[in-house]
Amino acid sequence: MFADVLRGLRRNVTMTIAMILTTAISLCLLGAGLIVARMTDQMRQIYGDKVEVTIYLNEKVSSQDPNCQAKTCQALGDALNKDSDVDRVTYQSQSAAWQQYQQMFAGQPEMLQIAKQSDLNSSWHVKLKDPQQYKVIQARYQDFPGVKSVNDQSQTLDRLFNVLNGIRNATIIVALVQALAAFLLIANTVQVAAYTRRTETSIMRLVGASRWRTQIPFILEAVVAAVAGAILAIGGLVAMKYLFVDKTLGTIMNAGILPPIDGTALVWVSPWLGGIAVGLAGIASYATLRLYVRL
Amino acid sequence: MIHLAHVSKQYKASTRPALSDINLDVEKGEFAFVIGPSGSGKTTFMRLLLREEIATSGTVEVAGKNLSKLRRSKVAWHRRRLGCVFQDFRLLNNKTVAQNVGFALEVTGKARAHIRRVVPEVLELVGLDGKANRMPRELSGGEQQRVAIARAFANRPLLLLADEPTGNLDPDTSGEIMLLLERINRTGTTVLMSTHDNTIVDAMRRRVIELHLGKLVRDEARGVYGVGR
Ligand SMILES: Nc1ncnc2c1ncn2[C@@H]1O[C@H](COP(=O)(O)OP(=O)(O)O)[C@@H](O)[C@H]1O
Ligand SMILES: [Mg+2]
């Protein structure tokens, strides 16, 4: 049976290759889209409960009152501690910020050279009871004496999420258009195959083969070609990860800003792509045989 | 085996009916010729029995089943009880003789072991033992028709339909094919054969059903080709 399927596919090599490639491109894009979507979800989880508002103190307070003992800094700290929207506050001095900076970019001397301790500000890190209330906190504290700026990480994160969602949507839309092309190509290939093998199918019907038995070789051929496409697509994703993503985005992933795309993401997406390939080819070929081919 | 009552067939594309008001019975185990000039409706008659076409009116019964009421999903099942042979052999040119016969069994769901046993048997019956691995194009017309008969007979049908099976063959070869069909008939299979060939019909002295312009004009138990017109 499998030998027959391969023979069927070989009979029209050009169409088979076109079918495999179109399916592969579609599934590769879809796979990339799914991986980005999964990454976004993981990021929401990673960052979700760590998001905090940072109130930076101005240069004067930062350098002259490193341990937050003077009135300006204390007053701000008291106000925050009493604020009913605030869950928890911690103080980070200029030297602590500098230490953190040095740790973060330990491997990158150029990053260490462009900054010095006095460029950084001491700050109050505020964890909100409800992270959505960030606007209220900003309005309340940005004009407080000694405050330089109020910065919300979730804003930066949202921008990152927007970029990722954009990438996800774009790849999935292109993938769907490509999937439509694959669908039509499969439909057409099945029609051509059914036409070139009409003697065979008419004999099958004549000797009493069921309609289903007559159709199944065409469906199997389409499914096998689509699965070949899915395997190519998975190969493409693996190549993309090692040759492109790891090289260009490796540093920010290692720094923990983006969750890494590791083997599990590829293992997770592969059965999806395989399943979609089988479904797409199965439906396209079956519908074509039902609607356009008289067997 | 076959029962036709007031059967008419009108093709959409044509003005006169291909068959009109045919009444006919063929008993189990009979051998009957269907004769008549080109266009008289012989092929249409066969196609009705195969359920390739449905009668416009009237009842067509084969082996006790009313074909007009047969569900579409039952058509394959119906055809498995029939064998059919045509003027143009309808063999698969990329398969060997044995594969051509085996193919028919395989696609109707017969077990491999059954196929391995039956194919040589039936090839021997049609006189093609030793040619099992030939390709159809390496065979004469008569031999190709034997392959087609072997394929039709492999699942031991109740009824064998042969639509001008000797139409492409020379007289000697036609005679051999006739003898083969007669041998198949002697196994108890009902055989219905359409033909133009008067010498065969005259020699056989079998039942003759004659059609003319879609009408049944003669049904004679031991007929010859020429009489009756
Ligand atoms: N598929 C068809 N569509 C329309 N007319 C047909 C079709 N098949 C046969 N006919 C017509 O029906 C008549 C009987 O044809 P047919 O059964 O093939 O006769 P025979 O086999 O005796 O030559 C002819 O007039 C033919 O033109
Ligand atoms: Mg005819």
Side-chain angles (χ1 to χ4, degrees):
Chain A
M1 192 73 183
F2 193 68
D4 286 336
V5 168
L6 292 186
R7 198 173 317 122
L9 288 171
R10 263 212 309 275
R11 267 196 249 194
N12 200 344
V13 184
T14 24
M15 290 276 257
T16 304
I17 291 173
M19 206 155 88
I20 292 176
L21 289 181
T22 325
T23 319
I25 293 170
S26 165
L27 291 174
C28 195
L29 289 168
L30 190 64
L34 288 174
I35 287 175
V36 172
R38 180 178 189 256
M39 202 160 103
T40 318
D41 274 354
Q42 285 178 337
M43 278 176 65
R44 286 229 165 80
Q45 275 170 19
I46 294 172
Y47 288 108
D49 43 39
K50 285 192 201 145
V51 175
E52 40 180 41
V53 175
T54 309
I55 299 173
Y56 289 103
L57 299 165
N58 63 24
E59 284 76 12
K60 190 162 154 258
V61 179
S62 297
S63 53
Q64 290 175 6
D65 181 19
N67 295 321
C68 193
Q69 279 154 347
K71 210 173 72 196
T72 327
C73 183
Q74 280 290 328
L76 179 57
D78 284 350
L80 285 167
N81 273 315
K82 279 186 212 124
D83 194 315
S84 60
D85 287 324
V86 172
D87 185 25
R88 187 159 30 82
V89 278
T90 45
Y91 175 74
Q92 185 180 48
S93 68
Q94 191 180 46
S95 64
W98 175 237
Q99 265 174 21
Q100 195 187 23
Y101 183 87
Q102 281 175 315
Q103 262 170 21
M104 194 162 166
F105 296 104
Q108 287 150 291
E110 66 276 19
M111 291 300 286
L112 295 176
Q113 259 157 30
I114 57 167
K116 49 189 190 300
Q117 180 168 338
S118 58
D119 291 335
L120 301 174
N121 301 66
S122 49
S123 54
W124 282 100
H125 291 250
V126 182
K127 177 117 178 46
L128 300 178
K129 285 182 178 143
D130 174 10
Q132 308 291 328
Q133 287 303 309
Y134 139 78
K135 283 250 149 56
V136 182
I137 297 295
Q138 185 179 44
R140 211 173 282 162
Y141 294 101
Q142 67 186 354
D143 296 328
F144 233 75
V147 170
K148 183 179 184 229
S149 64
V150 179
N151 186 3
D152 175 30
Q153 284 178 347
S154 66
Q155 215 179 15
T156 331
L157 272 182
D158 278 348
R159 223 172 291 138
L160 186 57
F161 282 139
N162 283 342
V163 172
L164 287 173
N165 286 343
I167 295 174
R168 180 197 64 193
N169 294 345
T171 50
I172 288 181
I173 287 169
V174 179
L176 288 180
V177 173
Q178 195 70 26
L180 180 69
F183 189 93
L184 296 176
L185 196 61
I186 291 168
N188 184 258
T189 310
V190 167
Q191 274 187 61
V192 171
Y195 182 75
T196 40
R197 274 140 67 186
R198 62 194 182 286
T199 330
E200 194 176 316
T201 51
S202 70
I203 289 171
M204 286 169 88
R205 291 298 284 159
L206 217 49
V207 300
S210 64
R211 185 174 297 267
W212 175 240
R213 179 61 186 78
T214 319
Q215 290 168 339
I216 194 78
F218 297 103
I219 297 175
L220 276 183
E221 282 166 34
V223 167
V224 166
V227 168
I231 291 169
L232 262 186
I234 293 164
L237 288 174
V238 171
M240 258 159 70
K241 170 186 152 49
Y242 287 106
L243 301 178
F244 173 70
V245 177
D246 283 1
K247 290 228 166 90
T248 54
L249 300 175
T251 27
I252 47 176
M253 282 176 174
N254 290 338
I257 298 169
L258 280 180
I261 296 174
D262 51 16
T264 54
L266 294 169
V267 171
W268 169 79
V269 84
S270 298
W272 280 103
L273 298 187
I276 290 168
V278 171
L280 181 82
I283 293 170
S285 52
Y286 183 70
T288 309
L289 291 168
R290 272 317 283 261
L291 300 177
Y292 297 109
V293 180
R294 208 185 150 207
L295 287 178
Chain B
M1 178 60 52
I2 299 170
H3 171 70
L4 269 68
H6 305 292
V7 170
S8 295
K9 175 67 190 175
Q10 171 77 55
Y11 288 109
K12 281 199 189 73
S14 107
T15 48
R16 98 176 149 79
L19 289 175
S20 61
D21 197 29
I22 305 285
N23 293 289
L24 187 72
D25 280 280
V26 177
E27 297 306 319
K28 190 172 184 318
E30 259 195 279
F31 188 116
F33 288 112
V34 179
I35 65 168
S38 184
S40 58
K42 304 182 295 296
T43 299
T44 303
F45 177 49
M46 299 283 186
R47 285 165 62 83
L48 286 181
L49 299 177
L50 266 171
R51 223 296 201 157
E52 284 201 273
E53 295 287 347
I54 299 172
T56 316
S57 63
T59 318
V60 180
E61 273 180 33
V62 176
K65 285 277 178 255
N66 184 337
L67 297 191
S68 320
K69 291 187 183 145
L70 198 68
R71 292 218 315 273
R72 265 166 70 92
S73 56
K74 279 284 202 176
V75 170
W77 170 84
H78 164 69
R79 288 186 188 154
R80 279 177 216 181
R81 308 196 300 170
L82 269 52
C84 50
V85 190
F86 304 89
Q87 184 172 358
D88 57 358
F89 320 136
R90 302 202 192 169
L91 299 178
L92 291 169
N93 289 320
N94 56 358
K95 290 192 191 298
T96 66
V97 166
Q99 284 168 347
N100 263 283
V101 177
F103 180 71
L105 294 167
E106 191 187 310
V107 299
T108 49
K110 300 292 189 303
R112 238 165 242 275
H114 174 81
I115 297 173
R116 262 199 300 275
R117 186 169 51 76
V118 165
V119 171
E121 268 175 30
V122 67
L123 284 180
E124 195 188 328
L125 179 90
V126 301
L128 282 178
D129 36 338
K131 300 204 166 149
N133 295 321
R134 296 274 196 95
M135 300 305 278
R137 78 180 95 77
E138 298 165 350
L139 301 175
S140 70
E143 287 169 330
Q144 290 188 45
Q145 193 60 295
R146 285 166 191 271
V147 179
I149 293 171
R151 182 180 64 194
F153 189 63
N155 63 343
R156 309 282 153 155
L158 303 167
L159 170 64
L160 185 76
L161 302 173
D163 193 8
E164 306 204 33
T166 59
N168 277 344
L169 304 175
D170 61 65
D172 286 352
T173 319
S174 299
E176 289 166 19
I177 294 296
M178 262 325 299
L179 291 176
L180 180 55
L181 291 177
E182 200 180 29
R183 178 135 39 103
I184 283 175
N185 176 235
R186 265 188 264 119
T187 67
T189 307
T190 314
V191 177
L192 212 58
M193 167 174 165
S194 78
T195 184
H196 271 120
D197 191 334
N198 48 359
T199 44
I200 287 179
V201 178
D202 292 349
M204 298 287 291
R205 288 293 185 146
R206 294 293 195 127
R207 180 174 177 187
V208 170
I209 295 160
E210 182 170 350
L211 297 173
H212 190 73
L213 295 173
K215 290 196 173 64
L216 182 68
V217 293
R218 174 163 66 123
D219 186 354
E220 209 175 352
R222 288 180 168 275
V224 292
Y225 199 96
V227 180
R229 283 190 293 159

